[in-house]
Amino acid sequence: MNFVSTRGKSKPVNFSTALKAGLAEDGGLHVPQTFPQFSLSDFKSKKILDISYNILEKFLAGDLITEKLHQILNDALSFPIPLTSISRNLNILELFHGPTAAFKDVGARFLAGCVDDSNDSMVLVATSGDTGGAVASAFNKKKRSKVFILFPEGKVSSFQQKQLTCWGKSVVALAVRGSFDDCQRIVKQAFEAKKLFKGSQLLSANSINIGRILPQTLYYAWASMKYLNDHGANPDFIVPTGNMGNGVAALWAKKMGFPIAKVILAFNANGAVEEYFQTGDWKPRPTVYTLANAMDVGKPSNMERLLHLYPDLKQLRQDVEAYSVKDSEIKNTIIALSKEGYVCCPHTACAIHVSKKLSRHHMIVASTAHPAKFKSVVEPLIGKEIPSPAHLKQIENSKESFEVINANLESLIEKVLKNAN
Ligand SMILES: *Cc1c(COP(=O)(O)O)cnc(C)c1O
C-alpha cells in the first residue's frame, strides 16, 4: 500500500518513506493512495488494540515496520480511551488519559515507535502548546533521537511551558521571538534546507507527518463500532480542531467504511474553514488568539488533505460540517457543563457548544485534553480547583530549561549544531 502527495506530482512511496520524508517531494502532504474497506464482520475482537492492528496491517503491507506493529501499538495505546455518556444525546470520547494528557500522545507515541533507534535522528517540531510536550515525552526514551521544540515565546500557558522545557538533554526547547506561524515556517524551511544540517536524519513530528495522523484514525474506528453495537446507530463525531489533523483522521476512518454518520469540525474563533463551507472560497487568515490556544491556527496545514479528499464542495457539505466558536461561548459552555458535573478543557468546550447547538441524536464529542492542563482558564470559571492526575503533577514540579532564539532559520541551525550529540 502506497502514499501519494496531495499535489499529485511525487512518486507514490510506502509508509516508512513517507514518515521519514515528512513532506512529499512536491511540497504536498502524504495521503493514502487508496483506502482499504472494512465492515464490522472483519473484526472478531472488539478491543481497540486488535482492531487497530487489523486496520494498520493493510496500510503497512509490505513495509518492514509491520514486524514491530504489535509493540508499537501497545506503546501508543497504553492508556484507557473511555467512551462515556453524560446525557442521552451527549457522549464523550476521552482521548486525554496519556502521559501528557492530550490526544496527541497517541500519534506522537506511534511516530516515535516507528523510528528506528539504530540511527541518529533529529526531530523538529513546531508547537502552539501541546504537540511539543507529547512529542518530547514520546521520544524521551529513544537513545539516538534528539528533539528540538520551537514554541512562540510568551504565548503558551505556564503549564504548557513546563511540559516543553522539563525534559533534560535529549529535548532542546527553543522559545522563538515570534508567533506559532513563525515556528511552523522555520521548521518548514529547515526541511527545505536539509543539507545545512550536516547529514543528520531530520524528522518532522507535526501532523503534516503521515506517521502522526494515520494512527489517529484508530480511535474513531473503534469508537464508531462500539457505539453502533451499543446503540444501533451510526454516530456523528464532533471534533475540536485547528490544524485539522484530528478532523481529517475522523474522515479517513469514515472513508474506510467505519459506521460514522457526519464529521462535524468545531473551530475556535479562527473561522477560515467555516467560511469556506459557506462560500466555497478558501482564504487563510492571520491567527486569532483564543482560550483554546492549541487550535489557534489561521492557515491549517491539513486543509490540503481535506480538499484532496473532497474536491467537490457539495460532497464535502454532505459528509462534513464546520462551525466556529467564540471565546464567550467557550466560557459559557465550561460553566454550564460544570453545573451538570463534568469539567472540560477549552478545546473540548468548542465541540460541546456545537453539540448543544445542533442538539441531534447520536453525537460523540472528541475530548482532546484534560482540563487540568488549562487551569488558569477553567478554574476561575467554575470556581473550584481541578485536581491534576499524578503524571501531570510530576511535570508541574519539574525544572524549566530553554533558550530564546530569533524567528529565522539561521538561529535554529546555530542551536542545532551546538546541541547535536
Ligand atoms: C492540538 C490540539 C487540538 C487540535 O488538533 P488538530 O490537529 O488541529 O486537529 C485540539 N485540542 C487540543 C487540546 C490540542 O492539543
Side-chain angles (χ1 to χ4, degrees):
M1 158 103 218
N2 277 327
F3 295 81
V4 294
S5 166
T6 45
R7 301 191 187 166
K9 297 202 182 73
S10 303
K11 275 201 310 276
V13 293
N14 72 7
F15 181 78
S16 291
T17 309
L19 184 140
K20 279 188 204 136
L23 284 176
E25 271 179 2
D26 61 3
L29 304 186
H30 290 113
V31 294
Q33 189 163 30
T34 54
F35 286 87
Q37 293 300 303
F38 298 95
S39 59
L40 298 197
S41 56
D42 294 336
F43 303 97
K44 287 185 202 78
S45 155
K46 295 195 173 73
K47 287 196 196 129
I48 189 167
L49 267 180
D50 298 327
I51 292 168
S52 299
Y53 187 88
N54 293 342
I55 296 171
L56 289 183
E57 70 177 346
K58 294 272 195 290
F59 283 100
L60 306 189
D63 199 305
L64 276 179
I65 288 180
T66 315
E67 287 172 17
K68 297 193 296 179
L69 188 55
H70 278 298
Q71 185 57 45
I72 293 171
L73 284 171
N74 264 322
D75 290 341
L77 299 168
S78 59
F79 37 85
I81 301 188
L83 176 59
T84 57
S85 168
I86 327 194
S87 63
R88 211 167 75 78
N89 289 337
L90 185 54
N91 303 280
I92 301 212
L93 181 64
E94 292 185 351
L95 301 171
F96 56 72
H97 296 283
T100 71
F103 78 93
K104 295 194 174 81
D105 283 323
V106 175
R109 294 169 75 78
F110 185 87
L111 180 70
C114 291
V115 171
D116 177 3
D117 214 15
S118 59
N119 290 308
D120 289 335
S121 60
M122 201 143 54
V123 183
L124 290 187
V125 57
T127 185
S128 58
D130 279 343
T131 306
V135 169
S137 160
F139 280 87
N140 197 30
K141 283 199 210 83
K142 300 215 84 124
K143 290 190 194 67
R144 302 189 62 176
S145 299
K146 193 138 201 166
V147 179
F148 291 83
I149 300 176
L150 286 78
F151 66 97
E153 184 187 22
K155 296 202 181 64
V156 301
S157 77
S158 59
F159 177 81
Q160 284 173 327
Q161 180 150 327
K162 281 253 155 137
Q163 201 175 63
L164 301 174
T165 58
C166 70
W167 300 98
K169 278 197 138 169
S170 61
V171 178
V172 179
L174 301 170
V176 175
R177 295 189 180 98
S179 66
F180 169 66
D181 286 308
D182 289 318
C183 299
Q184 256 192 330
R185 171 180 53 78
I186 297 168
V187 168
K188 213 165 165 219
Q189 287 170 346
F191 278 89
E192 285 157 4
K194 272 186 181 174
K195 59 178 180 303
L196 295 179
F197 289 85
K198 311 256 157 100
S200 299
Q201 161 78 46
L202 283 192
L203 187 74
S204 149
N206 284 103
S207 64
I208 54 171
N209 196 312
I210 191 74
R212 254 199 63 200
I213 190 167
L214 192 61
Q216 290 175 198
T217 61
L218 303 172
Y219 42 75
Y220 293 113
W222 166 78
S224 65
M225 289 203 289
K226 177 166 170 50
Y227 191 90
L228 175 60
N229 195 50
D230 294 350
H231 302 266
N234 294 7
D236 292 334
F237 278 103
I238 310 186
V239 182
T241 195
N243 223 5
M244 276 198 320
N246 222 8
V248 167
L251 283 165
W252 284 1
K254 179 176 170 60
K255 184 89 178 168
M256 292 176 223
F258 288 100
I260 296 168
K262 282 198 163 190
V263 174
I264 299 166
L265 307 172
F267 294 88
N268 58 22
N270 289 278
V273 179
E274 182 191 50
E275 194 182 294
Y276 173 76
F277 274 69
Q278 289 162 357
T279 64
D281 283 333
W282 175 228
K283 281 195 234 131
R285 304 269 180 206
T287 305
V288 179
Y289 294 98
T290 75
L291 293 175
N293 72 353
M295 312 194 315
D296 289 349
V297 185
K299 187 178 181 232
S301 40
N302 285 296
M303 185 65 177
E304 212 170 308
R305 286 188 169 121
L306 183 78
L307 295 175
H308 185 265
L309 194 62
Y310 288 100
D312 176 33
L313 184 62
K314 263 205 218 115
Q315 190 77 48
L316 174 67
R317 284 179 179 146
Q318 263 168 27
D319 288 358
V320 193
E321 296 172 35
Y323 301 100
S324 177
V325 177
K326 297 197 216 54
D327 270 358
S328 57
E329 294 167 327
I330 292 177
K331 285 187 192 164
N332 290 339
T333 303
I334 291 174
I335 294 168
L337 199 69
S338 136
K339 290 186 180 140
E340 293 174 35
Y342 192 87
V343 180
C344 70
C345 85
H347 311 80
T348 307
C350 293
I352 290 177
H353 171 79
V354 170
S355 81
K356 300 245 171 189
K357 191 171 82 175
L358 297 175
S359 187
R360 297 180 194 149
H361 295 299
H362 307 303
M363 293 184 297
I364 301 178
V365 164
S367 179
T368 48
H370 193 290
K373 285 188 91 169
F374 300 92
K375 283 183 184 176
S376 56
V377 176
V378 180
E379 285 184 347
L381 293 172
I382 64 171
K384 53 181 179 233
E385 278 184 31
I386 307 169
S388 296
H391 51 283
L392 289 193
K393 271 210 193 96
Q394 238 175 20
I395 294 173
E396 282 165 356
N397 295 330
S398 59
K399 250 182 45 206
E400 291 185 26
S401 150
F402 64 93
E403 300 181 63
V404 182
I405 65 168
N406 288 330
N408 58 48
L409 181 62
E410 292 69 41
S411 308
L412 172 65
I413 292 175
E414 186 192 315
K415 292 296 173 202
V416 166
L417 295 179
K418 193 183 105 191
N419 285 287
N421 309 314

